[in-house]
Amino acid sequence: MRRKFVIWWDGYGIQAKQMGVLVVTTVVGSWAVQQESVDRYEFEIRILVWGRDEDVEQKTNPTFDIKRFIHKQFAPICTLCGKPTPFSSSRLPGRCESFPEETGFEGTKPAVPPGSLAYVVRAGDGAQRYGPPREVESSGPVEAGPGACTFDSRHLYTKKVCGEGSIRAVSYNILADTYAQTEFSRTVLYPYCAPYALELDYRQNLLKKELAGYSADLICLQEVDKSVFVDSLAPALDAFGLEGLFKIKEKQHEGLATFYRRDKFSLLSQHDIAFSEALLSDPLHKELCDKLAEYPLVQEKVLQRSSVLQVSVLQSTTDPSRKICVANTHLYWHPKGGNIRLIQIAVALSHIKHVACDLYPSIPIIFCGDFNSTPSSGTYSFINSGGIAEDHEDWVSNGEEERCNMPLSHSFKLLSACGEPAYTNYVGGFHGCLDYIFIDKNALEVEQVIPLPSHEEVTTHQALPSVSHPSDHIALICDLKWK
């Protein structure tokens, strides 16, 4: 088969064991790889370490200077002298004092068009080789990677996996390709984002780089395309010791994904639901369903929504007495849908209570997601305080015609582990805090919250997504420990 993957300029690579996937540790550009049917193996591809090209055999032209070619191809660092080049979002060729000419070739033209080189890539080095050489040829122009990314500084805090007794949790809306690749997205929602940076191949490789660097024990993702989960995220994160679970939305091509570290947790059971279906069919929600029937306009909207809840019960591999309920959701998005979100979160908390209190008595919960609710909203207040009054303003969020007054309560003691950041979503027309990691504060406490990117980093390319950030949301990351 023919599989395309992107190798970034910045030196990052994935070291992993995967079936039929070449594992990259050094970086050059965007390549198509002809793969053979092979057993499980680990490859280390050394294409170019700055200033070294002894592992590359140039097949096209023995007189061609690979260093100067790479230099010409928009490199952020000159591969000859190691100095920074004036690489920018305008994608100008990288040049420094060593190459003052416009071309960067000192009058020497390459024998093949730029971006169309062929190499023999040798796996590993010497006796430590794990497999035979593979021939790699670019199928298109060699493109520059993102340079400095918004998450680079965050990786400094997450170089190692948490120790025993601690849990690193991540919650992240990764922006589904089904939403990013629309004319509305390109022209209205994200007109500031370079079109190539909205492409799935570009974003998912950036995303894998980001997620791999967090060394997480639990990752809850929203807006995950089914194909991205199956073909990209699940294999990549499996190589880092993470097992993935997926729940697709009804009538949609995207859904939720939860990953857990295999050497820390084993899966005991899954209890996923679709809100609309559970509301109608599960006796657990009969009282709420009866109340909602008094407001037919609101009921109709609630039942039309495709939102789902993913609930997984995990058990510690080192201490079987420690179990945890991990919930993941993505609530209704509309700015005037506060009343719909209140119903959805009531169903969610009732279902989680059934799992964490009835099926597995008194196990702690971690509830992650994109709640599409700011800290001033009724939904956040309900989760945080345990109740919502029938006269709360969110019950009339879409006007008097859709008024829906009912008091709600739940018995959990939940805390937003990452607090209330200024924003977790930053687009051209809006920025605000919509994402949270809620924890059971009776059983868990926060060890550290990984700082979010600075405002300067987020706005380097005006807003999100960008060439250096794959989503319009920002991942929340925290280290938790058992009390």
Side-chain angles (χ1 to χ4, degrees):
M1 68 181 185
R2 198 165 177 83
R3 184 189 296 267
K4 182 181 180 183
F5 63 93
V6 174
I7 311 172
W8 301 117
W9 284 104
D10 61 7
Y12 173 83
I14 297 175
Q15 301 180 38
K17 290 184 178 178
Q18 298 179 31
M19 179 65 75
V21 178
L22 291 179
V23 180
V24 182
T25 57
T26 1
V27 296
V28 174
S30 184
W31 305 94
V33 177
Q34 183 67 44
Q35 296 174 327
E36 299 176 6
S37 177
V38 293
D39 294 330
R40 250 175 121 78
Y41 59 83
E42 181 169 4
F43 263 90
E44 179 181 354
I45 303 178
R46 302 173 61 85
I47 296 179
L48 184 71
V49 179
W50 304 120
R52 293 174 52 197
D53 59 348
E54 60 267 27
D55 292 327
V56 179
E57 177 185 333
Q58 297 177 44
K59 294 185 63 181
T60 51
N61 183 355
T63 64
F64 180 61
D65 188 336
I66 189 173
K67 294 177 184 176
R68 295 186 184 179
F69 176 80
I70 297 297
H71 176 84
K72 168 67 176 174
Q73 286 296 313
F74 319 120
I77 296 176
C78 174
T79 56
L80 186 66
C81 69
K83 294 180 182 178
T85 65
F87 173 76
S88 68
S89 58
S90 63
R91 301 173 69 77
L92 293 172
R95 289 179 287 123
C96 68
E97 298 115 358
S98 302
F99 293 97
E101 291 82 359
E102 178 72 26
T103 64
F105 285 99
E106 297 183 345
T108 303
K109 296 186 71 175
V112 293
S116 184
L117 292 180
Y119 303 129
V120 169
V121 180
R122 304 197 179 280
D125 51 354
Q128 297 182 4
R129 227 170 256 168
Y130 291 93
R134 285 290 182 268
E135 187 169 313
V136 182
E137 184 172 353
S138 62
S139 60
V142 178
E143 297 181 351
C149 296
T150 54
F151 45 80
D152 288 343
S153 59
R154 308 185 86 189
H155 285 173
L156 299 176
Y157 295 87
T158 59
K159 289 181 177 180
K160 296 181 180 180
V161 176
C162 284
E164 190 175 335
S166 296
I167 304 168
R168 179 167 298 141
V170 174
S171 184
Y172 195 5
N173 180 325
I174 64 172
L175 179 59
D177 184 58
T178 192
Y179 305 139
Q181 290 298 316
T182 65
E183 188 64 23
F184 184 73
S185 294
R186 288 189 290 267
T187 59
V188 179
L189 290 180
Y190 318 121
Y192 47 82
C193 184
Y196 74 89
L198 283 174
E199 293 289 335
L200 179 59
D201 281 351
Y202 186 94
R203 291 196 307 112
Q204 71 178 353
N205 281 284
L206 201 59
L207 179 65
K208 285 185 284 189
K209 173 181 178 179
E210 178 177 7
L211 292 176
Y214 290 147
S215 306
D217 301 310
L218 296 172
I219 301 177
C220 291
L221 303 178
Q222 304 84 43
E223 287 196 23
V224 183
D225 298 276
K226 184 177 181 180
S227 61
V228 170
F229 176 83
V230 172
D231 299 328
S232 182
L233 290 179
L237 294 179
D238 173 76
F240 288 90
L242 295 165
E243 189 73 27
L245 307 167
F246 183 71
K247 173 66 177 177
I248 197 165
K249 286 183 180 178
E250 295 180 317
K251 306 170 189 174
Q252 301 287 330
H253 298 287
E254 54 92 3
L256 306 171
T258 296
F259 292 87
Y260 62 91
R261 186 166 295 282
R262 281 189 298 266
D263 61 4
K264 278 196 173 183
F265 296 105
S266 60
L267 178 66
L268 289 183
S269 56
Q270 292 176 256
H271 307 271
D272 304 343
I273 61 168
F275 290 129
S276 57
E277 182 183 340
L279 193 57
L280 286 177
S281 61
D282 193 333
L284 195 64
H285 312 296
K286 186 178 187 307
E287 183 181 351
L288 179 60
C289 189
D290 290 343
K291 287 182 182 178
L292 188 59
E294 300 174 18
Y295 308 96
L297 288 178
V298 180
Q299 182 187 46
E300 182 183 7
K301 278 198 171 181
V302 169
L303 297 180
Q304 286 175 345
R305 305 278 71 81
S306 59
S307 307
V308 294
L309 173 72
Q310 191 177 31
V311 180
S312 311
V313 178
L314 305 177
Q315 182 178 47
S316 169
T317 55
T318 56
D319 184 353
S321 68
R322 285 182 169 174
K323 301 178 181 68
I324 194 162
C325 176
V326 180
N328 182 18
T329 197
H330 185 189
L331 300 185
Y332 181 46
W333 64 272
H334 200 285
K336 293 183 178 180
N339 55 349
I340 309 299
R341 285 187 286 276
L342 279 170
I343 301 298
Q344 289 182 335
I345 200 63
V347 174
L349 290 170
S350 180
H351 182 73
I352 293 169
K353 182 186 177 204
H354 173 63
V355 174
C357 298
D358 300 335
L359 300 181
Y360 297 90
S362 302
I363 66 171
I365 73 168
I366 298 177
F367 192 6
C368 302
D370 176 356
F371 294 83
N372 273 310
S373 306
T374 63
S376 62
S377 68
T379 296
Y380 181 83
S381 176
F382 175 48
I383 297 171
N384 211 39
S385 68
I388 189 84
E390 62 181 342
D391 60 351
H392 192 280
E393 62 182 4
D394 273 16
W395 288 123
V396 287
S397 60
N398 201 31
E400 286 293 332
E401 285 190 359
E402 292 187 17
R403 174 184 287 275
C404 152
N405 298 99
M406 58 180 84
L408 298 173
S409 64
H410 68 83
S411 58
F412 291 114
K413 302 297 181 185
L414 299 176
L415 168 74
S416 174
C418 298
E420 300 171 3
Y423 50 78
T424 60
N425 175 239
Y426 199 105
V427 294
F430 170 84
H431 63 271
C433 180
L434 304 177
D435 306 84
Y436 305 93
I437 298 176
F438 292 106
I439 63 170
D440 186 339
K441 59 185 179 183
N442 289 332
L444 299 168
E445 60 183 335
V446 180
E447 273 191 318
Q448 72 165 338
V449 176
I450 307 305
L452 273 68
S454 68
H455 184 68
E456 182 182 8
E457 289 172 318
V458 171
T459 57
T460 297
H461 301 283
Q462 187 175 333
L464 305 178
S466 70
V467 296
S468 61
H469 193 88
S471 175
D472 54 346
H473 286 249
I474 300 168
L476 292 177
I477 314 155
C478 61
D479 290 354
L480 310 170
K481 67 178 181 179
W482 304 81
K483 281 189 173 179

